[in-house]
Amino acid sequence: MPRDLVQDSLTALNEGVPTAPPRLSRRRRSAVLALDMDGDIACTLIARRRVGYVASETYLFELQNGEWTYLGGGGGPGDDLFRPRPAPTPEGEHLHPMGSAAIRRAPGRRGAWIRDIELRCSPQVASLSVNGRSLAVAEHGNVVVVWDSPNAPTLTAMDADGRALQTFRPAST
């Protein structure tokens, strides 16, 4: 875990997600694409240029003593991160799961585990409704959702007019 990527995540948690570049380069090796915060937990999604490919990495944080503390995360191939947003499936699925991660919380905290899911959204999706909060979907269509309850939240993909396009519940791992 590169220290600068944790710092990029902390900056995004405090200032918001910067506008993502259209692609990575030798000079721009990483970019924070999305984040989600739910009370005292948070997750960032980062595209990172590696040798020969782009990696998708999630970074999980917990608010401890008033400061965000990095706990861990997950990663995998991220070649789709900067490609055009995927079309809905013939069955009407607008949310396309790309990966997930989970990490144990500090002892004595509510919810024993922090979990995340990384999604790619169809072009029709403008936002996600997640347990009473709304997550805007950026132009690139990548989004991450974090939770700490044993049961995964219900996600509702919304169009720009506020109409529900799809309801989805991630698997609880």
Side-chain angles (χ1 to χ4, degrees), residues 101-145:
I103 194 156
R104 189 127 174 100
R105 285 192 84 160
R109 304 298 294 239
R110 112 184 125 83
W113 291 86
I114 299 172
R115 296 172 174 83
D116 75 63
I117 186 164
E118 177 187 339
L119 302 158
R120 294 266 296 145
C121 301
S122 75
Q124 294 84 355
V125 180
S127 65
L128 282 183
S129 175
V130 182
N131 289 349
R133 64 188 195 277
S134 181
L135 302 176
V137 177
E139 187 65 31
H140 49 67
N142 300 295
V143 67
V144 67
V145 177

Side-chain angles (χ1 to χ4, degrees), residues 34-166:
L35 73 80
D36 183 23
M37 295 170 47
D38 186 17
D40 63 348
I41 60 172
C43 183
T44 58
L45 171 63
I46 294 181
R48 180 175 174 202
R49 188 170 187 257
R50 306 296 294 251
V51 177
Y53 71 101
V54 173
S56 171
E57 299 179 356
T58 56
Y59 290 70
L60 292 161
F61 294 85
E62 180 177 52
L63 196 59
Q64 296 176 358
N65 301 319
E67 293 188 22
W68 289 108
T69 302
Y70 172 72
L71 299 178
D79 294 325
D80 291 341
L81 293 173
F82 295 106
R83 291 195 176 131
R85 291 168 72 163
T89 66
E91 296 80 23
E93 295 173 348
H94 292 266
L95 302 176
H96 304 273
M98 300 300 290
S100 62
I103 194 156
R104 189 127 174 100
R105 285 192 84 160
R109 304 298 294 239
R110 112 184 125 83
W113 291 86
I114 299 172
R115 296 172 174 83
D116 75 63
I117 186 164
E118 177 187 339
L119 302 158
R120 294 266 296 145
C121 301
S122 75
Q124 294 84 355
V125 180
S127 65
L128 282 183
S129 175
V130 182
N131 289 349
R133 64 188 195 277
S134 181
L135 302 176
V137 177
E139 187 65 31
H140 49 67
N142 300 295
V143 67
V144 67
V145 177
V146 66
W147 70 94
D148 67 352
S149 65
N151 299 316
T154 299
L155 316 177
T156 304
M158 310 295 283
D159 70 10
D161 295 325
R163 288 186 297 251
L165 299 170
Q166 176 191 354

